Amino acid sequence: MTSLDKPTEDTTADDDARAVTEAALFEAFGGVRGMVETVLPGLLFVTIFTLNKDLHWSAIAALAVSLLLVVVRLAMRDTVKHAFSGVFGVAFGVVFAMITGNAKDFYLPGMLYTLGLAVAYLVTTLAGVPLIGLMLGPVFKENLSWRTRNPGRKKAYAKASWAWGLILLAKCAILFPLYWWADTTQLGWVLVALKIPPFLLAVWLTWVFLAKAPAPIDVFAELEAQEKAEQQAEEERKAALAQDHGEAPAAGRHRRQS
């Protein structure tokens, strides 16, 4: 190995780690389609309401497009968790707005969810079990091994959770005053505008923290290796017992012949 080989290998390993992290984040947060499914119902609601001020048609259109996104996912045999979460969020908003008769209340359940999620990120981080680690641990096949066996990774998850919590709190600090002071269309367009940029910033910061963190411990691979080792040990034990039983009768025959 030359002196130039080592940096090349390190660079390749870093690139692989970043690629794995990027793929895992893309899977966990739904990628481009997940962002579209998050934005489209609210965008359709505020667009229709801006044009005709009709709460019912706006709500029906938003709910219909959410259901259509689920049907498309099912038809493509793709994961539906992001689409289903969108349907539930839109349904809660529609029901709430219909009950109160206030179109702004279509956005209130989602805003409360964002606030609750921000608090959850911060509280779980203070408790030593950062929420982003609980979410991404299974994606990286490490489960909760980062809590006790990988302190560098736990620190990265804590940083990422702080980032998510503070970004979502900043978003709430903008939206909740608008809920009280602005009209429905103003609140709706600001909310649509704030859907993607804070999310992308939080995902990017998560990627930065995790790309620099130690590699995840693949607990699934460890379990498989342990099972194979136990199986091999059991086979060796059975083979040894069979060999012992085979030698014992042979020794007895030799004694009888003598």
Side-chain angles (χ1 to χ4, degrees), residues 41-233:
L43 177 61
L44 190 59
F45 179 92
V46 70
T47 300
I48 295 176
F49 191 84
T50 299
L51 294 175
N52 60 20
K53 307 298 181 183
D54 191 316
L55 170 60
H56 292 82
W57 279 111
S58 302
I60 291 171
L63 188 57
V65 75
S66 297
L67 292 172
L68 179 61
L69 292 172
V70 173
V71 171
V72 171
R73 287 270 191 176
L74 290 172
M76 298 179 66
R77 297 182 179 180
D78 202 352
T79 177
V80 296
K81 62 181 180 179
H82 298 289
F84 266 129
S85 63
V87 168
F88 289 128
V90 172
F92 276 118
V94 168
V95 170
F96 205 65
M98 292 294 187
I99 291 175
T100 63
N102 185 354
K104 280 197 294 187
D105 288 338
F106 172 79
Y107 304 109
L108 188 56
M111 292 166 56
L112 292 173
Y113 172 78
T114 300
L115 178 60
L117 190 59
V119 173
Y121 276 118
L122 300 178
V123 170
T124 55
T125 304
L126 290 173
V129 283
L131 181 59
I132 199 72
L134 299 177
M135 294 168 58
L136 295 181
V139 177
F140 284 109
K141 299 181 180 180
E142 60 182 336
N143 285 349
L144 296 178
S145 63
W146 50 268
R147 287 195 62 198
T148 55
R149 300 173 56 192
N150 205 339
R153 198 155 182 87
K154 180 180 179 180
K155 185 177 181 180
Y157 280 139
K159 289 180 179 179
S161 290
W162 278 114
W164 278 92
L166 294 175
I167 288 171
L168 293 180
L169 277 182
K171 181 178 176 179
C172 291
I174 296 172
L175 293 178
F176 276 95
L178 287 176
Y179 174 79
W180 296 107
W181 301 330
D183 59 30
T184 301
T185 56
Q186 291 171 334
L187 174 62
W189 286 112
V190 171
L191 196 147
V192 169
L194 289 178
K195 278 283 186 180
I196 300 301
F199 172 80
L200 290 180
L201 175 59
V203 171
W204 178 76
L205 288 173
T206 302
W207 178 82
V208 169
F209 295 140
L210 292 182
K212 296 178 180 179
I217 299 171
D218 191 337
V219 295
F220 296 104
E222 288 184 344
L223 289 174
E224 290 178 1
Q226 183 179 354
E227 289 177 358
K228 288 181 180 179
E230 291 176 353
Q231 183 178 2
Q232 184 177 358

